[in-house]
Amino acid sequence: MNITVYLGASEVRSDELNNAATELGAWIAKSNHTLIYGGSKMGLMGKLALSAINGGAYVIGVEPQMFMDKELQLDSLPELIVTENMSERKTRMIELGDAFIAFPGGTGTLEEISEVISQSTLGLTNAPCILYNLNGYYDNLKAQFEKMIEMELSTKERQQNIYFADTLTEIEEIIKATGD
């Protein structure tokens, strides 16, 4: 299975985030999945990718030219797709993915996973869209989705492929239950 993971390239001081990114990469490798990610060697992205590569996973980076110009790509990637811009990158990452995970991240992570969520609610994909709710990171977004249903602006059926997972074990269970 191709698992697209959205996460930041920022260097963070949080051991918990760094360890969780490393554990996710190791799990992707151990489970014989392919990792699709943003292509950077920096921060959480770099930790995720190196962990997956070191575990034997096939890893595909999708890096826009503007980041290539700054030499932010991970050079040890088995495959690197260079896109013209961020919009093209987002499209390629969706095309390649069979499942999608939003790791705790910033505005870019939220923007990218929002596209997948939108496609899911419109019935354009049946792929699982998992928000890794580590330490309640996505609790407010989860409440917003519940509010949408309460206000009759969405339905449980439209949101059926959107999952909030508090642990890596829950992510594993969702992936297995949805088509592994």
Side-chain angles (χ1 to χ4, degrees), residues 158-178:
R158 286 186 194 152
Q159 294 182 19
Q160 69 183 348
N161 294 320
I162 303 167
Y163 302 89
F164 289 84
D166 296 334
T167 65
L168 181 54
T169 301
E170 289 180 20
I171 291 172
E172 293 175 50
E173 291 169 359
I174 293 164
I175 295 291
K176 284 179 185 174
T178 57

Side-chain angles (χ1 to χ4, degrees), residues 129-176:
C129 179
I130 305 165
L131 293 110
Y132 192 172
N133 196 30
L134 189 66
N135 287 331
Y137 187 80
Y138 286 112
D139 279 351
N140 291 331
L141 186 56
K142 185 177 184 180
Q144 183 62 47
F145 280 107
E146 291 166 0
K147 186 73 167 177
M148 289 175 188
I149 293 169
E150 176 188 319
M151 300 285 300
E152 300 177 338
L153 299 169
S154 186
T155 65
K156 286 183 182 182
E157 293 75 28
R158 286 186 194 152
Q159 294 182 19
Q160 69 183 348
N161 294 320
I162 303 167
Y163 302 89
F164 289 84
D166 296 334
T167 65
L168 181 54
T169 301
E170 289 180 20
I171 291 172
E172 293 175 50
E173 291 169 359
I174 293 164
I175 295 291
K176 284 179 185 174

